[in-house]
């Protein structure tokens, strides 16, 4: 700047020296950057000689002042010193690389390089930041500073006070630190611009607190840790710290325990680490408890932690208590968000959406969104791109504890009843979208989830299965049984679309028990028949099918429930067929077909006829079975058949697949490939993926291989393997995968 002003005045060094009284050598050192902090009287003399006035004069004098501060400040020992690291630090290798990349990262002019590490309580953000800072310390010869901003306390450190501490750590004497906060921030940024300094700002409270503490470009770097997301900060690099994976959790626990970990047993340590949920603070507390009590066994502590009601109390040792860490975040919340947090503890499943949160909180969904955002911001909830929220297991237990302490038994009971009722009614409404005669309700209940299509209903049932099934369990314990029965009954038609859902046994068992509690024998028989259907699916249990159908038949006969008598015979037929007792199976299906014809149930009548064709196929009478399947397909395609359209839609691809299997057995390979592929494509359109589709894919793959179409065959085997895996048939999946990858 001095050189620019001299040249603008058209003066040589010698001429300026003569006018100002400053030596030529001094002027040369200043212009070449060797002297960055000349004395005030020297700079004033130069400004007078150059006739500088106003802001230009002030700027030259201010630059000299900053230079003098930089030249004379040395960092006092012990101010904002980086804490010691721990020797058993474990994991986060990828995250440590992320921090190391900050050292050489580039940014836009005037924008400092800042790393922001976020995460909930107990994740070890401070420990991680300290370890990371120690690892990159050689890259910062001018120092590494550490400052706790006290973000979770009742009185977080003010930005002006933080700047004072940091400026002192950078070497400023108290009399050199401006009183104005903005002037402090300006001086702080100017010092960081030319110094290789890393500033670790731990436990930040807000954007307002940390903005003045960020470097404004240049050599300085900042690393911030916070429980809050600080989403208002611009131009920062973000790292969300998550729980440790189980292997790393086990290694951390072993490192804390030292030599005794070998005698505790790997399986026990793994289970102990699992119960800590990947939280380093929880692992350290448990590890320290064991290390300080050599007489304790790991198995004993595992048993204590297995009790959910007492688990949270076990996470304390010395001055460490995990509930205190969660409590600091809880205290930061507004009253409405606290109420939402503790009441979410009653949600039965692992996750939930804003609609359910609104029911829990007793607030409009807009208010629920706001409270959920606050909880996510403080790390008390995790969110996902799908709009779902979930607790960490230990945070959920903390919420349970807060609910028990802060709300009365009557309030908790009313809350549980409201949530249970809402879930069961919404699940029932969703299930009935797939039931003939129901579908879209004429007058939707404004209190329930808004579902406008079968696709939305199916999505809700699938993603909320743990919630509505948990509500069924809760209602089964103390009522209302009618809601449980309604919910189970509404799942009958939907269950065909999700045949391999592992929950159907429990759903229909609860339905049967609810019907029994209500004294409704016909409905009890119905639910028992549904259970028979569940056990007829692969991997089937024909003996269980026969037990359930026998119970259903006895109850249905007592009350004259003809339809359930017929279904008992039909499900018995499926078990008999599985047992190879084909003649008995045909007789039972024929009996049920006649009963369904008599009561005018065309859907069930056709299903019984299809089962008779299955028996003919199993007997090896493939030509006869083929004709029967084609006859059934003709019925399905007849608009005057009297069948329910939704049943026809699902049954048609299944009939095509059966016809394809017959053609394959009859050696009509090309026709079989075409027909099976048509059935598979229709199931794809319906988004139905089950054992029937998987079997059809495997058959097509074999037929393609027989025609020498190797590439298509392998692709089809690979897809069959995926479907088998999805429905839990690992043996068939492995078989198809091996064929898909076999060497020619």
């Amino acid at each position: 700047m001095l050189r620019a002003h001299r040249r603008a005045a058209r003066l040589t060094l010698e001429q300026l020296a003569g006018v100002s009284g400053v030596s030529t050598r001094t002027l040369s050192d200043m212009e070449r950057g060797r002297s960055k902090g000349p004395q005030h009287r020297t700079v004033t003399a130069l400004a007078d000689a150059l006739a500088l006035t106003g802001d230009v004069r002030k700027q030259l004098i201010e630059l000299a002042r900053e230079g003098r501060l930089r030249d004379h400040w040395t960092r006092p020992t012990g101010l904002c010193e980086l804490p010691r690291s721990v020797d058993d630090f474990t994991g986060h290798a990828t995250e440590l690389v992320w921090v190391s990349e900050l050292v050489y990262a580039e940014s836009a002019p005037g924008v400092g390089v800042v790393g922001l590490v976020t995460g909930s309580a107990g994740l070890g953000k401070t420990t991680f930041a300290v370890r990371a800072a120690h690892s990159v310390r050689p890259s910062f010869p001018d120092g590494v500073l550490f400052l706790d901003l006290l973000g979770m306390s009742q009185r977080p450190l003010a930005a002006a006070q933080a700047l004072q501490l940091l400026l002192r750590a950078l070497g400023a004497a108290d009399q050199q630190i401006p009183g104005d906060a903005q002037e402090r921030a300006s001086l702080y940024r100017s010092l960081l611009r030319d110094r290789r300094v890393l500033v670790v700002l731990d436990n930040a409270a807000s954007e307002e607190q940390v903005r003045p503490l960020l470097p404004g470009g240049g050599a300085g770097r900042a690393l911030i840790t916070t429980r809050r997301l600080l989403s208002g900060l611009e131009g920062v690099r973000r790292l969300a710290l998550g729980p440790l994976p189980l292997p790393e959790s086990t290694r951390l626990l072993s490192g804390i325990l030292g030599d005794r970990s070998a005698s505790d047993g790997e399986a026990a340590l793994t289970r102990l680490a699992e119960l800590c949920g990947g939280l380093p603070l929880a692992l350290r507390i448990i590890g320290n408890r064991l290390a300080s009590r050599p007489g304790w066994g790991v198995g004993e502590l595992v048993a204590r932690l297995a009790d959910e009601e007492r688990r949270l109390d076990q996470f304390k040792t010395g001055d460490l208590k995990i509930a205190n860490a969660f409590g600091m975040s809880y205290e930061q919340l507004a009253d409405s968000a606290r109420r939402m947090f503790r009441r979410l503890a009653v949600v039965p499943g692992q996750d939930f959406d804003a609609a359910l949160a609104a029911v829990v909180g007793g607030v409009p969904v807009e208010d629920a969104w706001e409270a959920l955002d606050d909880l996510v911001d403080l790390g008390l909830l995790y969110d996902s791109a799908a709009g779902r929220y979930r607790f960490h297991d230990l945070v959920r237990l903390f919420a349970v504890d807060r609910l028990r302490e802060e709300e009365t038994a009557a309030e908790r009971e009313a809350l549980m009843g409201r949530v249970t009722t809402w879930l069961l009614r919404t699940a029932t409404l969703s299930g009935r979208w797939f039931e003939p005669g129901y579908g879209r309700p004429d007058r939707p209940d404004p209190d329930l989830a808004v579902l406008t299509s079968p696709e939305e209903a199916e999505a809700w049932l699938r993603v909320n299965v743990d919630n509505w099934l948990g509500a069924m369990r809760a209602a089964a314990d103390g009522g209302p049984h009618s809601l449980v029965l309604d919910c189970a009954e509404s799942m009958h038609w939907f269950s065909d679309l999700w045949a391999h859902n592992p929950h159907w046994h429990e759903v229909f068992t609860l339905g049967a028990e609810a019907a029994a509690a209500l004294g409704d024998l016909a409905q009890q028989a119905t639910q028992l028949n549904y259970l028979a259907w569940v056990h007829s699916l692969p991997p089937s249990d024909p003996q269980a099918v026969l037990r359930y159908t026998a119970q259903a038949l006895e109850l249905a006969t007592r009350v004259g429930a003809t339809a359930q008598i017929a279904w008992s015979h039909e499900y018995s037929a499926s078990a008999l067929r599985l047992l190879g007792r084909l003649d008995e199976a045909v007789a039972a299906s024929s009996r049920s077909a006649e009963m369904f014809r008599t009561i005018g149930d065309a859907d069930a009548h056709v299903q019984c006829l299809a089962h008779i064709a299955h028996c003919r196929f199993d007997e090896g009478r493939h030509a006869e079975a083929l004709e029967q399947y084609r006859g059934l397909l003709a019925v399905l395609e007849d608009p005057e058949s009297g069948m329910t359209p939704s049943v026809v839609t699902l049954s048609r691809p299944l009939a095509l697949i059966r016809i394809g299997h017959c053609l394959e057995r009859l050696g009509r390979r090309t026709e079989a490939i075409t027909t099976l592929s048509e059935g598979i494509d229709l199931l794809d359109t319906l988004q139905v993926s089950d054992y029937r589709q998987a079997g059809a894919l495997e058959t097509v793959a074999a037929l393609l291989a027989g025609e020498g179409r190797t590439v298509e065959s392998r692709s089809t085997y690979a897809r069959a393997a995926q479907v088998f895996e999805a429905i839990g048939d690992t043996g068939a999946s492995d078989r198809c995968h091996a064929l898909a990858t076999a060497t020619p």
Side-chain angles (χ1 to χ4, degrees):
M1 180 171 286
L2 176 61
R3 182 185 297 115
H5 286 308
R6 178 178 60 78
R7 289 176 176 174
R10 299 181 181 276
L11 297 173
T12 65
L13 280 174
E14 291 76 10
Q15 289 171 329
L16 180 58
V19 176
S20 66
V22 178
S23 70
T24 304
R25 180 171 180 178
T26 299
L27 288 172
S28 176
D29 286 346
M30 291 167 65
E31 288 196 3
R32 288 185 292 125
R34 295 184 62 182
S35 174
K36 298 182 179 180
Q39 295 299 312
H40 179 73
R41 63 178 176 274
T42 301
V43 182
T44 302
L46 290 171
D48 290 340
L50 292 166
L52 300 179
T53 60
D55 289 342
V56 175
R57 179 186 181 93
K58 182 179 178 181
Q59 185 180 25
L60 184 70
I61 294 173
E62 186 64 26
L63 282 174
R65 177 180 177 274
E66 291 183 10
R68 289 194 299 277
L69 291 175
R70 284 195 297 270
D71 285 345
H72 294 293
W73 287 352
T74 58
R75 183 182 164 204
T77 302
L79 293 181
C80 295
E81 182 64 29
L82 186 64
R84 66 183 288 271
S85 186
V86 292
D87 58 2
D88 51 24
F89 182 88
T90 302
H92 294 312
T94 302
E95 291 84 354
L96 288 172
V97 171
W98 179 87
V99 173
S100 69
E101 290 173 348
L102 293 176
V103 176
Y104 303 105
E106 296 183 358
S107 61
V111 180
V113 176
V114 178
L116 180 66
V117 180
T118 60
S120 59
L123 283 175
K125 297 179 296 298
T126 300
T127 301
F128 167 76
V130 169
R131 169 53 66 95
H134 277 291
S135 68
V136 300
R137 192 166 199 162
S139 298
F140 294 96
D142 294 322
V144 175
L145 309 182
F146 179 91
L147 184 62
D148 185 354
L149 298 177
L150 307 176
M152 289 296 106
S153 70
Q154 294 298 317
R155 296 183 63 185
L157 198 64
Q161 187 180 358
L163 284 166
Q164 182 180 34
L165 294 171
L166 290 169
L167 286 170
R168 290 181 62 201
L170 287 167
D174 287 343
Q175 63 270 22
Q176 296 170 319
I177 299 175
D180 181 74
Q182 290 187 356
E183 291 183 7
R184 287 182 183 181
S186 177
L187 179 58
Y188 170 73
R189 288 193 298 273
S190 71
L191 294 177
L192 289 184
R193 185 170 58 244
D194 296 324
R195 296 189 182 191
R196 294 291 295 176
V197 175
L198 172 65
V199 182
V200 181
L201 302 170
D202 187 45
N203 195 13
S206 66
E207 294 92 339
E208 181 183 15
Q209 182 191 41
V210 298
R211 273 201 185 97
L213 312 181
L214 305 182
R221 301 286 188 266
L223 182 64
I224 306 170
T225 73
T226 175
R227 295 189 190 184
R228 296 186 180 276
L229 297 179
L230 301 190
S231 54
L233 288 182
E234 312 89 350
V236 300
R237 292 162 168 81
R238 295 177 177 273
L239 173 67
L241 211 61
L244 290 174
L246 186 56
E248 291 183 1
S249 296
T250 306
R251 283 201 300 273
L252 175 56
L253 195 56
S254 298
I256 296 170
L257 292 175
D259 294 337
R260 71 161 285 177
S261 63
S263 61
D264 288 323
E266 183 177 352
L269 282 178
T270 299
R271 177 55 182 154
L272 196 58
E274 188 177 34
L275 289 166
C276 292
L279 292 187
L281 177 59
L283 291 159
R284 191 159 298 282
I285 289 172
I286 291 301
N288 288 350
R289 290 190 72 184
L290 283 172
S292 62
R293 295 170 174 81
W296 277 22
V298 173
E300 179 184 352
L301 195 50
V302 167
R304 292 187 184 188
L305 291 174
D307 182 358
E308 281 200 356
E309 291 189 5
R310 299 183 56 198
R311 185 181 301 169
L312 208 62
D313 292 336
Q314 302 303 315
F315 289 100
K316 59 183 178 183
T317 182
D319 61 349
L320 296 177
K321 186 175 182 180
I322 202 163
N324 291 344
F326 300 150
M328 292 176 71
S329 295
Y330 183 68
E331 292 300 320
Q332 300 291 313
L333 297 168
D335 288 343
S336 58
R338 288 186 198 176
R339 183 169 59 253
M340 175 71 78
F341 170 77
R342 61 180 179 261
R343 290 186 171 189
L344 284 170
V346 306
V347 173
Q350 293 297 312
D351 62 5
F352 47 88
D353 60 12
L356 180 52
V359 175
V360 168
V363 297
V365 71
E366 294 80 10
D367 293 345
W369 281 115
E370 185 174 345
L372 292 168
D373 283 345
D374 289 343
L375 295 173
V376 170
D377 188 52
L378 270 168
L380 290 170
L381 285 180
Y382 298 125
D383 64 349
S384 70
R388 308 287 296 178
Y389 300 83
R390 64 182 177 86
F391 283 109
H392 184 281
D393 288 346
L394 295 180
V395 177
R396 179 190 289 274
L397 294 179
F398 176 74
V400 171
D401 181 69
R402 290 298 85 212
L403 181 66
R404 186 167 49 241
E405 290 294 323
E406 298 183 35
E407 306 216 15
T408 66
E411 288 172 329
R412 297 196 301 271
E413 184 177 353
L415 170 65
M416 193 67 193
R418 183 171 73 247
V419 173
T420 297
T421 299
W422 186 89
L423 284 168
L424 290 178
R425 290 174 61 209
T426 303
T428 301
L429 176 67
S430 301
R432 283 180 172 163
W433 271 94
F434 308 94
E435 188 171 343
Y438 283 93
R440 182 194 296 270
D442 294 331
R443 293 188 297 276
D445 190 328
D447 295 331
L448 302 184
V450 178
L451 304 168
T452 60
S453 68
E455 291 75 20
E456 289 185 7
E458 180 175 0
W460 191 93
L461 287 169
R462 286 178 180 266
V463 78
N464 285 288
V465 61
D466 289 339
N467 287 321
W468 58 260
L469 183 55
M472 287 188 76
R473 296 187 192 112
D477 286 341
H481 298 297
S482 59
L483 287 179
V484 176
L485 181 57
D486 286 347
C487 186
E489 178 59 30
S490 74
M491 296 299 152
H492 169 51
W493 288 82
F494 172 66
S495 61
D496 274 333
L497 299 178
W498 197 10
H500 295 279
N501 172 22
H503 305 103
W504 293 133
H505 176 81
E506 184 176 7
V507 168
F508 297 131
T509 296
L510 290 171
E513 292 172 350
L518 293 168
D520 190 334
L521 299 187
Q523 271 297 330
Q524 188 179 357
T526 300
Q527 300 298 312
L528 290 169
N529 274 328
Y530 295 162
L531 282 168
W533 168 79
V534 170
H535 288 279
S536 68
L537 299 173
S540 54
D541 183 351
Q543 297 299 338
V545 174
L546 292 174
R547 286 197 300 274
Y548 284 120
T549 55
Q551 296 173 43
L553 180 60
E554 191 271 331
L555 293 173
T557 301
R558 283 169 57 186
V559 294
T562 304
Q564 295 310 313
I565 294 172
W567 278 118
S568 298
H569 288 309
E570 178 58 15
Y571 288 129
S572 295
S574 68
L576 294 168
R577 175 175 163 243
L578 291 169
L579 292 169
R581 296 158 59 179
L582 299 178
D583 289 341
E584 295 175 75
V586 169
S589 282
S590 299
R591 187 181 307 117
S592 56
E594 179 58 26
M595 295 179 74
F596 284 127
R597 187 190 65 77
T598 301
I599 62 176
D601 190 337
D603 298 333
H605 176 71
V606 168
Q607 183 173 326
C608 295
L609 296 180
H611 195 259
I612 294 172
H614 300 342
C615 293
R616 300 304 182 215
F617 182 90
D618 291 351
E619 290 173 335
R621 297 158 64 176
H622 301 125
E624 184 178 342
L626 176 61
E627 292 308 310
Q628 290 182 349
Y629 287 132
R630 282 180 166 163
L632 292 172
L633 183 60
V635 173
L636 294 172
E637 294 176 342
D638 180 3
E640 303 298 324
S641 67
M643 294 187 67
T644 304
S646 60
V647 175
V648 171
T649 300
L650 179 59
S651 299
R652 188 171 182 276
L654 301 180
L656 288 168
I657 285 173
R658 284 293 181 178
I659 290 170
H661 284 305
C662 288
L663 292 169
E664 180 266 335
R665 294 299 177 91
L666 292 169
R668 296 157 65 175
R669 182 184 295 163
T670 302
E671 293 176 79
I673 293 173
T674 300
T675 307
L676 286 167
S677 298
E678 184 182 354
I680 292 167
D681 291 343
L682 286 174
L683 288 180
D684 285 341
T685 302
L686 297 173
Q687 296 183 327
V688 173
S689 185
D690 61 14
Y691 66 98
R692 294 164 294 197
Q693 185 188 47
L697 285 165
E698 186 174 13
T699 300
V700 170
L703 290 169
L704 290 169
E707 290 203 338
R709 296 158 65 178
T710 306
V711 174
E712 295 173 80
S713 173
R714 289 185 173 184
S715 174
T716 308
Y717 270 127
R719 189 173 169 212
Q722 292 175 344
V723 178
F724 275 125
E725 182 178 4
I727 65 177
D729 192 338
T730 55
S733 178
D734 291 343
R735 178 179 68 243
C736 291
H737 180 72
L739 291 167
T741 58
T743 303

